[in-house]
Amino acid sequence: MYCVQCGVELQAGAEKCPLCGLRVCHPEVRETPEPRPYPAFAGGGERVRPGGLLLILSFLFALPIIICLMVDLRLSGGVTWSGYVSLGVCAAYIAVCLPLWFQRRNPVVFFPITMAAGLLLALYVCLKTGGSWFLPFAFPVGGAVCLLVETVIVLLRYAVGERRHRVLYILGGASIALGALCVLVEFLLRVSFGIAMRWWSLYPLVVLTLLGLMLIVIAISAPLRASLHKKFFI
């Protein structure tokens, strides 16, 4: 049985719609099962193994590395610019293809691995260009981003459960932390590269803090959540 106003499926014997509040004319009416117009799905089919496709993808990722190394060795007599390309392709392979090799793709495990690959690429660029910005800038910024995203992933995966409104708490806190991260980035730019503090980071800090506080207020207020759920399915 479905609501004639909003189309939400109603439970047997429901007197009013849980979404729009429309009263059901005849709640005592019971639905009679009707034959399906199509046969039931029969499980237990043959399981497709993605190993062949992953091997093809691995070859496609390895091909530009091999070509760039050969061209670089031929023209420069050594590994110069091809190192950037090779490590960049390897980082992309780790981010895109590495999780596909596993049946249980847990983002809690694979996201730090992806961030570590990106930091190794940044370290290589820093060393090859003779820079000194990795430890004072790239490493703390990358570590802060990894810590923030990893915390959000862990909380969303293990701390929400049946209480869906906890997602609002998590996203609200993450929004505030992201605003603070903008301030950290501007400060590290000043320390690492001598860029004067223009305090541009205060703008995203204020906006993201207000957004985070709004999400937390919605999470705290059950009537407000119910009203938003009726209007926007939040």
Side-chain angles (χ1 to χ4, degrees), residues 94-112:
I94 292 174
V96 175
C97 294
L98 182 62
L100 300 178
W101 286 98
F102 299 87
Q103 293 182 354
R104 296 182 178 179
R105 305 179 185 97
N106 192 344
V108 177
V109 177
F110 288 106
F111 180 77

Side-chain angles (χ1 to χ4, degrees), residues 33-229:
E34 298 180 357
R36 296 176 179 267
Y38 49 85
F41 175 74
E46 183 179 357
R47 190 171 184 178
V48 179
R49 297 182 179 180
L53 178 60
L54 291 177
L55 289 176
I56 295 175
L57 288 176
S58 301
F59 175 76
L60 293 177
F61 272 90
L63 188 60
I65 297 177
I66 297 173
I67 293 176
C68 290
L69 287 174
M70 293 177 61
V71 173
D72 195 12
L73 291 173
R74 178 69 176 176
L75 298 179
S76 305
V79 178
T80 55
W81 55 268
S82 61
Y84 305 110
V85 178
S86 300
L87 287 181
V89 173
C90 289
Y93 180 84
I94 292 174
V96 175
C97 294
L98 182 62
L100 300 178
W101 286 98
F102 299 87
Q103 293 182 354
R104 296 182 178 179
R105 305 179 185 97
N106 192 344
V108 177
V109 177
F110 288 106
F111 180 77
I113 296 176
T114 303
M115 288 297 301
L119 287 175
L120 287 177
L121 175 61
L123 177 60
Y124 178 81
V125 173
C126 181
L127 294 177
K128 291 291 289 186
T129 57
S132 57
W133 46 265
F134 179 78
L135 285 179
F137 180 75
F139 183 74
V141 171
V145 171
C146 181
L147 180 62
L148 174 59
V149 178
E150 183 73 3
T151 302
V152 172
I153 293 174
V154 171
L155 292 177
L156 290 176
R157 190 175 180 87
Y158 300 108
V160 174
E162 297 181 356
R163 299 182 179 181
R164 298 297 180 86
H165 67 280
R166 290 182 178 178
V167 175
L168 298 175
Y169 286 110
I170 297 171
L171 296 181
S175 179
I176 297 173
L178 184 60
L181 181 61
C182 294
V183 179
L184 176 64
V185 169
E186 185 177 12
F187 174 75
L188 292 177
L189 284 173
R190 178 181 180 276
V191 173
S192 304
F193 304 102
I195 301 176
M197 293 284 289
R198 302 290 183 179
W199 298 109
W200 57 263
S201 58
L202 293 181
Y203 297 102
L205 174 63
V206 172
V207 173
L208 292 172
T209 300
L210 292 177
L211 177 61
L213 292 176
M214 181 186 70
L215 293 175
I216 293 174
V217 170
I218 294 174
I220 294 174
S221 176
L224 182 58
R225 291 200 314 272
S227 176
L228 293 174
H229 178 73

